[in-house]
Amino acid sequence: MSSASLQQRAIHLREELRRHDRLYYTLATPEIPDTQYDLLLKELEKLESDHPELITDDSPTQRVGDEPVPFLEQVQHVVPMLSIDNTYNRTELATYFERTEKLLPGETIQWVMEYKIDGVAASILYEQGALKQGLTRGNGEVGDAITHNVRTIRDLPLRLSGNHDVPPLLELRGEIYMTNADLADLNVRQVAAGLEPYKNTRNVTAGTIRLLDASIAASRKLRFFCHGVGQTAGLAVESHMEFLKLIERLGIPATPNVRVLDSAELAIAAVAQLEEAMPDLPFEVDGIVFKVNSLRQRELLGSRSKSPRWLIAYKFERYEAVTTLLKIDVQVGKTGALTPVAHLAPVNIADTTVSRASLHNADEIERLDVREGDTVVVEKAGKIIPKVVRVEKHLRKTQLAPFVFPTRCPVCTGELARDEGGVYIRCIDPTCPAQLRQRLIYFASRTGMDIDGLGEKIIDQLVDLKMVTRFADLYRLTVDDFCKLDLVKERKAKKLVQAIDASRTRGLARLLASISIRHVGPRVAKVLAGHFGNIESLRKATQEEISKIHEIGDVIATSVSHFLIDPHGQDLIDQLLEVGVIMTEPKNTDLPSLIAGKTFVVTGTLTQYSRDEIKSLIEKLGGRASESVSKKTDYVVAGEHAGSKLEKANTLGIQILTEDEFAAMIPPSERKG
């Protein structure tokens, strides 16, 4: 083979290996198995070994240096790596947002929300697209040079991808971290070598990144997430979100699940969404970071001596304990999703006894390699449900059988199907008793059709005795039917029949939110009901028509449309109509203009309404009930002993309403008394 051909083959192999590194480490969508990747790498290694003139600094073969460095050099940061102010509750978070808004009077601030990765802060410098330097944060002014170890991090490209987008100088700021699964595997090797296992991912990452021998760092599979930028030249972006899109094109992994929110109010409300997704993460987080999106506004806000004014970390306490996983049980939810649950030897975490933890899905079990009988680390962060963080594989003294995920529904033995492009496996039989039970529980709940007294124990009996096989069957039950159940006397039976009968009039929005259509919760249901006004108009709508409604979009529209054309969905609606369930709602176009489209905040002690009543009334009439006062608030309804919200409303010049003034804005039919 000619020299030119050899060089072209080497270039091709490098490009392929870089592409597969990005697919595997950054995008989590590998195209080839590890064995095939190893063959490509070995071919390149042999080619470069036989022809040393073909070796380049950015070749994938150069991930590990030949000789350990003699010491860690200390290097000055050109742009200091400042710390981040922390807060531990939503009240303090709201105060920070208010303080920041005052520093930018008359401007709207977009907030970026992202996970705070529990790793080691680092600076990664690229010059002309090539990785040149890696530094620890150090004291913020001076850091340790860890370039030799940074080069072993496989989700960090040695050369940036892209042509025209690559800035001549780009310093990335981010977190070096380790996944929980990789820590479990490392601890197996530690114990086999007669060494102590590591306690957590952060400590082992901090120690590894400062090792002098890069070959050890390479064996520990460190990773990197980018969340910011230091010194640059030729970086043409105006916002943080633009920056994240750019580095994605360059092949750099950014912190996942980043969101941009148009107001502080929305940012606070969205905290719970990131918290709920935490148990599915394969790495550790210790908080949520909020940043001003606009780089111009960041410059205006500037920095204090130790921290920027344009970002804050909302942190929460984490608690861990070690216990034994006794059994894995697979449960079937109301949408058919199969959820594996870990039954644990009871252990105390943060003053509560924990005996169960969700394992989320089949992929999570495989990733953790968790087995019945394993010793596991269980974590509880903030108010989040307990999570199995990792398996202490080095403590396996006997051969434990891998957990085999069901291939048929564990309740009805029906067929299973994996979500397209997703991780959840579902029972696709709509008559599955487990799905029916969960759906009925939600249907009867306060957030559903609010059927007082119809709890889980009664629903269990109704399903077991096949007295209820669909929602409509509830409305056909008699007092005598309920009296056949255990612990149900005639008086209670009469109350249950009355409560079920009363739920017929809850309206279309409550019904849509109660019948377990995927992606349709109370808010989406209100939007749909307010737009169409009745079930027949909704049934006639096309998927495209539904998707064009504000706040709906393609995913929800697809789910709603499929439900309405599916024979099971059609029969469900027909049966409920047959038993007299009302499926109408006042259309948004008919709503009083004084309330519709306006944002209200309710504060203080009210005399005519409970807090829930007035919020429900506002939303029913097309308004929005908010928890916090901002420049976007239209009215504040103030009762007695109103506090800081009233003060802020006065400061912002927002109109204050008494209860009587609020009542004057609503239709007479909706007023009390």
Side-chain angles (χ1 to χ4, degrees), residues 74 95-96 108 123 126 238 245 326 340 346 348 463 465 487 489 520 561 636 663 666:
Q74 290 202 314
T95 300
Y96 164 77
T108 299
S123 155
Y126 285 86
E238 296 181 357
K245 290 177 182 177
L326 305 174
N348 186 279
V463 173
L465 295 172
L487 304 177
K489 303 299 182 183
V520 177
S561 181
V636 169
I666 65 178

Side-chain angles (χ1 to χ4, degrees), residues 283-562:
F283 48 82
E284 292 300 302
V285 300
D286 60 352
I288 297 170
V289 177
F290 290 92
K291 304 175 179 178
V292 172
N293 189 30
S294 165
L295 301 188
R296 178 190 64 81
Q297 289 180 333
R298 289 185 183 185
E299 288 185 14
L300 292 173
L301 290 167
S303 300
R304 304 177 191 85
S305 59
K306 294 184 178 180
S307 61
R309 291 190 179 90
W310 47 263
L311 85 167
I312 195 167
Y314 170 65
K315 299 187 72 174
F316 32 74
E317 298 293 337
R318 284 185 8 211
Y319 306 91
E320 284 188 349
V322 177
T323 188
T324 302
L325 192 155
L326 305 174
K327 181 184 177 183
I328 298 175
D329 181 33
V330 179
Q331 300 179 349
V332 183
K334 62 188 176 71
T335 62
L338 271 61
T339 302
V341 176
H343 294 266
L344 310 166
V347 62
N348 186 279
I349 305 178
D351 297 325
T352 59
T353 300
V354 174
S355 59
R356 287 159 48 100
S358 173
L359 289 168
H360 307 292
N361 52 63
D363 289 356
E364 177 77 350
I365 289 179
E366 184 177 353
R367 182 180 66 78
L368 290 171
D369 186 23
V370 63
R371 308 178 185 190
E372 293 179 345
D374 265 331
T375 300
V376 295
V377 176
V378 182
E379 175 186 283
K380 192 173 185 182
K383 297 181 180 179
I384 305 304
I385 59 174
K387 165 191 175 182
V388 175
V389 175
R390 68 178 181 276
V391 177
E392 300 288 53
K393 295 181 184 178
H394 59 282
L395 296 180
R396 278 183 188 159
K397 303 303 181 186
T398 59
Q399 186 65 33
L400 300 176
F403 181 77
V404 179
F405 205 82
T407 56
R408 310 283 295 189
C409 176
V411 176
C412 71
T413 70
E415 291 186 22
L416 303 178
R418 181 182 283 265
D419 289 354
E420 185 176 351
V423 297
Y424 289 102
I425 297 172
R426 299 179 191 274
C427 170
I428 58 176
D429 182 357
T431 66
C432 173
Q435 292 183 57
L436 175 63
R437 177 183 182 275
Q438 294 299 326
R439 288 173 179 171
L440 287 170
I441 290 171
Y442 186 77
F443 187 84
S445 69
R446 288 190 63 184
T447 53
M449 297 293 276
D450 193 13
I451 304 176
D452 186 40
L454 189 59
E456 292 187 24
K457 291 182 179 179
I458 292 176
I459 287 172
D460 283 344
Q461 293 183 70
L462 294 172
V463 173
D464 290 343
L465 295 172
K466 294 184 171 52
M467 295 171 68
V468 174
T469 60
R470 63 186 79 188
F471 294 129
D473 289 344
L474 288 172
Y475 297 93
R476 299 186 178 102
L477 293 171
T478 65
V479 171
D480 288 341
D481 290 328
F482 278 115
C483 286
K484 295 174 184 177
L485 306 181
D486 292 341
L487 304 177
V488 178
K489 303 299 182 183
E490 184 176 358
R491 184 180 177 185
K492 182 174 179 63
K494 287 180 178 179
K495 287 185 176 180
L496 282 167
V497 170
Q498 290 170 358
I500 292 171
D501 183 57
S503 73
R504 284 184 169 93
T505 62
R506 302 288 186 231
L508 179 59
R510 291 287 287 271
L511 179 76
L512 291 174
S514 302
I515 55 179
S516 300
I517 305 173
R518 287 184 65 191
H519 307 303
V520 177
R523 177 61 189 168
V524 170
K526 287 178 182 177
V527 172
L528 290 171
H531 182 85
F532 290 103
N534 60 72
I535 191 63
E536 292 308 319
S537 296
L538 177 57
R539 289 175 112 175
K540 292 174 183 176
T542 65
Q543 182 174 321
E544 184 179 6
E545 289 171 339
I546 297 172
S547 69
K548 290 180 179 178
I549 301 170
H550 179 60
E551 294 190 58
I552 300 300
D554 292 336
V555 173
I556 296 173
T558 299
S559 178
V560 172
S561 181
H562 285 188

Side-chain angles (χ1 to χ4, degrees), residues 595 599-606 609 611 614 618 629 633-640 642 645-646 649 654-663 665:
I595 299 291
T599 298
F600 290 76
V601 172
V602 181
T603 184
T605 304
L606 305 180
Y609 302 92
R611 192 66 61 88
I614 196 168
I618 289 166
V629 178
T633 304
D634 295 294
Y635 300 99
V636 169
V637 181
E640 293 182 8
K645 292 180 182 179
L646 179 59
I654 294 167
Q655 185 171 348
I656 312 299
L657 302 175
T658 65
E659 279 188 88
D660 289 338
E661 289 170 332
F662 170 78
M665 296 175 67

Side-chain angles (χ1 to χ4, degrees), residues 69-88:
V69 298
F71 59 89
L72 296 183
E73 181 185 359
Q74 290 202 314
V75 179
Q76 184 89 19
H77 291 293
V78 176
V79 177
M81 292 185 70
L82 301 180
S83 59
I84 304 177
D85 271 357
N86 297 324
T87 182
Y88 290 87

Side-chain angles (χ1 to χ4, degrees), residues 586-657:
K587 293 186 69 173
N588 287 344
T589 54
D590 299 329
L591 292 170
S593 59
L594 291 176
I595 299 291
K598 304 297 184 182
T599 298
F600 290 76
V601 172
V602 181
T603 184
T605 304
L606 305 180
T607 58
Q608 301 177 39
Y609 302 92
S610 70
R611 192 66 61 88
D612 288 341
E613 283 176 336
I614 196 168
K615 287 181 179 179
S616 296
L617 181 57
I618 289 166
E619 292 181 352
K620 178 181 178 181
L621 297 174
R624 187 166 186 272
S626 173
E627 293 294 333
S628 58
V629 178
S630 73
K631 288 180 285 187
K632 295 186 177 181
T633 304
D634 295 294
Y635 300 99
V636 169
V637 181
E640 293 182 8
H641 311 299
S644 60
K645 292 180 182 179
L646 179 59
E647 292 177 10
K648 183 174 181 182
N650 284 320
T651 301
L652 294 174
I654 294 167
Q655 185 171 348
I656 312 299
L657 302 175

